[in-house]
Amino acid sequence: MANDWVSQKMLSKFAAQSAIYDNSREFSFGWWFAYFWKEIGVNGRSEADLKAVLALVFADQVPVDIDSKSYGVKRKAGDKVADDFVKLLPEPVDLLTHATKYREMLTKLLNIGFKAMPHIDVSAPAVPVANAMFLDRIEIGQRGVKIPVAIAYRGDTRDFATVIQHSGAKSRVDLGMCNMKQSWHPFSVDVVANKMYARGASGDNCLYSVTSVATSVKIPVGFPLIEDQNIYSLPSLPVDEAEKTLQKWNYAKLRDAQKKLPVILAKVGVGNVGKASGIFLATESFIYAVKVKQALHTQRFVEQNFAMPQDQCKERGVRGIDLKDFLAGVRLRRIHLGPTRMHGVVAFVQEIKYFYNGRWEEVPNIIDFSAYHFNGDQVAGRAAISKIQDQFTDIILGEDESAPNPKPEVNSIEQWNLSSDQFGAYKNNQADKLYFGVVP
C-alpha cells in the first residue's frame, strides 16, 4: 500500500514538529511550509494526511521501489528517516529546477489545513445570513430600488496617505508579495490563488488570500496585534518570566521594542488598581470604515467546518478593498493592558477623516460625500456618517478576555512616548505612586 513505509515512529516524531524545513528566512520555501504545516494542527493531522505529506518530503531518503518491499523493510526505512532527522532540513537545492514537486507538496498541505470559503452577497436583502453579518447596514437608492450596503471596520498600520498610495487594501496574493509568484508556491497557480481560505488550526482567515474586516471597532482596535513579531519587536523573556512588569524594563528593552513599528511607553490615568497613574505599552494605529457588498462569513464557516468553539472567531473577510470603498478613518493611540490583544486595548482617537473625491477630509461635505459613495443619496450619506461616528467615539475599548485582574480602568493619556531617562526617573522617584502594566 502506498506510503506504508511512513512508520509509526515517523508519525509520532513529526506530528510534534512545528517545522520540518529551515524556516528562519522569511517567505522562503521552509517558511511557507511551516505556515501551511501549522494549520493541519495536532488534532487535524490524521494518519493518512501525515503519511501523504511525509512521503512527499522524505521520498528521496528511501529506495524508489520502497512500496514493493516487505513490511519489515518498510518499517526500518521509515524508522531510519525518523532517527536521521536531528535538525531542520535545508532549503531544497532543486527547488527551482523541480518547482512542480515542491508546489505539489505545499498544495497538499494547503488542501489539508485550509478550506476555501464562499463569498456572500451582503447587498442581497433576501439572504438571511447576509443581514446578520454586519451591524452597520444602510440602504441606498439605485435606479428607484433600495440596495443594502454594509459598513465594515478594519485595523491597519497604514496612515491616510499610504492608503491612497496603495489604492486601498489589497490581499497580498493579489499584490504578488512574499514569494507567492514563485513557481514552487501554490498561489502561483491562478485556480488556487483566486480562492479565499480559512485556516484550520487557527480558525480564522488566511493571512495572504483574505483581507480581514469586522462588524464593529471592538475587534479591529486590537489589530495589528502587538504580539505579531512580523510587525512589532517586543523583547522576549523566558516562559517562566512571562509576567514580568514594566518596572523590570531598561533602556535596552525599550530600544529593542522600537526596531520595527515602534512600541513605546505611555503614562496614563488609571482607576481600579489603587493608584492614579500607570505606565503601559503603547502603539499608534488606524481603523478604517469601508463599504462592503460581498464578504466571507469567516466566523460561521470555521464553526461549521473546523468545529471551532462558538464566537471564538468573530472575523469577516473580503478579498480586498478598493480605495473608492473607503468611507472614513481614525488615527489612534493605543494603550495595551498586556502583551496580547486579548489582554485588552484602550484606544484614544486622535483624528477622524472622511474619504471622497480621491482625498481625505476632516469635515465631510454631505453633498460631495453622498455623491461619491451613495449615488447622491444624502439620506444614506448622513446615515453612514452617523453610524461611523457612533463607532469612532473618543475612547474605543477592545477585547479583554485575558485582562489583568483587577483590570486597570484607563481614562486619559498623561504623557506619550516616555524617553528612557523619563521612564527611569519615574521608576526611581515615583514607583510607589505608579501602576506598571504587564509585558511578556
Side-chain angles (χ1 to χ4, degrees):
M1 212 173 175
N3 304 338
D4 273 0
W5 62 268
V6 178
S7 66
Q8 286 299 318
K9 191 171 188 177
M10 285 182 67
L11 292 174
S12 298
K13 183 165 189 173
F14 292 107
Q17 286 289 133
S18 61
I20 293 180
Y21 289 91
D22 175 31
N23 61 344
S24 59
R25 186 164 58 86
E26 195 172 36
F27 307 127
S28 64
F29 171 81
W31 188 96
W32 276 107
F33 187 101
Y35 174 73
F36 292 128
W37 174 259
K38 174 189 173 186
E39 298 310 322
I40 297 176
V42 174
N43 295 329
R45 289 175 182 170
S46 72
E47 184 170 301
D49 288 339
L50 275 175
K51 281 188 173 184
V53 174
L54 295 175
L56 289 173
V57 173
F58 295 102
D60 294 341
Q61 297 189 22
V62 297
V64 293
D65 61 345
I66 187 67
D67 288 336
S68 66
K69 301 296 184 181
S70 67
Y71 170 77
V73 172
K74 290 179 181 178
R75 182 179 60 79
K76 287 181 180 179
D79 288 354
K80 186 177 186 303
V81 169
D83 292 337
D84 289 347
F85 185 83
V86 293
K87 63 179 181 179
L88 297 177
L89 301 178
E91 184 98 340
V93 295
D94 60 344
L95 181 61
L96 298 180
T97 56
H98 290 79
T100 301
K101 166 186 172 181
Y102 295 102
R103 185 174 67 246
E104 289 176 354
M105 189 185 297
L106 293 182
T107 303
K108 181 71 174 178
L109 284 173
L110 173 67
N111 289 336
I112 296 171
F114 293 67
K115 289 185 184 295
M117 293 183 284
H119 71 258
I120 296 172
D121 185 357
V122 298
S123 63
V127 181
V129 67
N131 297 326
M133 282 184 68
F134 296 99
L135 296 177
D136 289 345
R137 294 169 59 84
I138 57 176
E139 291 186 332
I140 63 173
Q142 186 170 309
R143 292 187 291 273
V145 179
K146 291 291 186 179
I147 304 297
V149 174
I151 301 176
Y153 300 89
R154 171 174 171 78
D156 210 314
T157 62
R158 300 172 307 154
D159 61 21
F160 301 117
T162 304
V163 167
I164 293 178
Q165 181 183 347
H166 290 177
S167 299
K170 296 181 179 179
S171 74
R172 283 180 268 192
V173 172
D174 293 329
L175 290 171
M177 299 170 62
C178 313
N179 279 333
M180 285 183 280
K181 294 301 183 183
Q182 293 287 340
S183 55
W184 50 260
H185 198 289
F187 290 158
S188 66
V189 178
D190 287 344
V191 71
V192 178
N194 290 340
K195 297 176 182 177
M196 293 175 281
Y197 296 90
R199 304 192 294 174
S202 298
D204 59 9
N205 290 323
C206 168
L207 303 180
Y208 299 90
S209 62
V210 180
T211 301
S212 294
V213 295
T215 189
S216 70
V217 296
K218 187 176 181 66
I219 296 174
V221 73
F223 287 82
L225 302 175
I226 191 173
E227 65 265 35
D228 188 337
Q229 291 295 317
N230 293 317
I231 299 175
Y232 300 108
S233 55
L234 284 183
S236 60
L237 289 172
V239 174
D240 59 352
E241 297 182 10
E243 292 277 309
K244 291 291 187 181
T245 67
L246 278 171
Q247 199 163 7
K248 304 291 184 181
W249 268 37
N250 54 28
Y251 169 77
K253 284 187 171 60
L254 184 57
R255 178 199 60 205
D256 289 346
Q258 300 186 8
K259 287 181 177 178
K260 296 182 180 178
L261 280 185
V263 177
I264 66 172
L265 300 177
K267 182 170 177 281
V268 302
V270 295
N272 200 42
V273 290
K275 298 182 180 183
S277 295
I279 294 178
F280 292 84
L281 298 175
T283 58
E284 290 191 327
S285 69
F286 294 79
I287 296 178
Y288 292 102
V290 299
K291 293 181 297 186
V292 175
K293 294 182 180 179
Q294 291 184 335
L296 310 170
H297 199 327
T298 309
Q299 177 180 2
R300 184 168 176 259
F301 186 87
V302 299
E303 288 175 0
Q304 292 178 348
N305 288 271
F306 297 124
M308 297 297 292
Q310 188 174 7
D311 294 333
Q312 180 169 305
C313 166
K314 300 176 182 177
E315 290 185 65
R316 312 291 188 257
V318 294
R319 179 64 173 205
I321 307 164
D322 290 335
L323 181 61
K324 63 181 176 58
D325 290 326
F326 277 72
L327 293 166
V330 58
R331 180 171 64 86
L332 303 172
R333 285 182 169 177
R334 302 190 299 176
I335 306 301
H336 300 270
L337 305 189
T340 72
R341 166 176 63 106
M342 300 309 291
H343 280 91
V345 180
V346 179
F348 292 79
V349 171
Q350 303 301 300
E351 62 178 326
I352 301 175
K353 289 188 176 183
Y354 299 86
F355 184 80
Y356 55 97
N357 294 337
R359 60 182 182 272
W360 294 97
E361 301 286 359
E362 293 185 3
V363 179
N365 178 299
I366 191 63
I367 296 175
D368 291 343
F369 182 82
S370 302
Y372 186 83
H373 287 294
F374 304 114
N375 301 320
D377 187 337
Q378 294 181 34
V379 173
R382 289 191 179 90
I385 291 172
S386 176
K387 290 180 181 295
I388 291 167
Q389 291 176 340
D390 286 345
Q391 295 276 355
F392 291 165
T393 54
D394 290 340
I395 300 178
I396 300 174
L397 304 180
E399 299 170 281
D400 59 2
E401 282 83 345
S402 301
N405 185 20
K407 178 186 172 183
E409 296 174 353
V410 176
N411 51 57
S412 64
I413 296 176
E414 298 178 354
Q415 187 175 351
W416 184 254
N417 196 10
L418 302 181
S419 69
S420 179
D421 290 341
Q422 289 171 328
F423 181 52
Y426 279 129
K427 285 199 300 182
N428 295 332
N429 303 324
Q430 299 186 48
D432 59 329
K433 300 177 182 178
L434 292 175
Y435 175 93
F436 291 87
V438 177
V439 300

